[in-house]
Amino acid sequence: MRINEQRLNLTKVGIIAKDVTDACNDGLELDDEIRYENRVRLKMELLREHLKNYIGEEYEYNPKKKDK
């Protein structure tokens, strides 16, 4: 029962992150890569906050940059 509740909570976090980043990026002329990075960064921050009892507060999301 608890696992199902956690799964639903994580789904909510994902939906909220997408909605917020879509709203924030609306009207801005950002390329798809920046939009994606913004969405992932927000989702990781929300997940970190949601899971702070499991992963610790010192965790920080640092994506690896692609060489172009």
Side-chain angles (χ1 to χ4, degrees):
M1 187 77 150
R2 186 166 188 251
I3 292 172
N4 191 40
E5 184 177 325
Q6 288 176 336
R7 185 177 296 143
L8 288 173
N9 287 338
L10 290 174
T11 301
K12 290 176 192 176
V13 166
I15 291 168
I16 291 168
K18 183 174 183 334
D19 287 349
V20 168
T21 54
D22 286 349
C24 290
N25 291 331
D26 190 35
L28 300 178
E29 296 188 21
L30 303 173
D31 64 21
D32 289 339
E33 186 175 333
I34 292 174
R35 288 178 187 268
Y36 176 77
E37 186 176 319
N38 289 343
R39 183 171 37 230
V40 170
R41 181 168 300 283
L42 177 59
K43 192 177 286 191
M44 292 304 294
E45 288 296 319
L46 290 171
L47 284 171
R48 181 176 67 93
E49 182 63 29
H50 182 72
L51 298 172
K52 68 182 172 188
N53 293 330
Y54 299 104
I55 61 174
E57 293 189 28
E58 67 278 353
Y59 175 80
E60 183 177 323
Y61 171 68
N62 290 313
K64 293 182 179 179
K65 299 287 183 183
K66 296 188 294 186
D67 291 331
K68 292 187 177 184

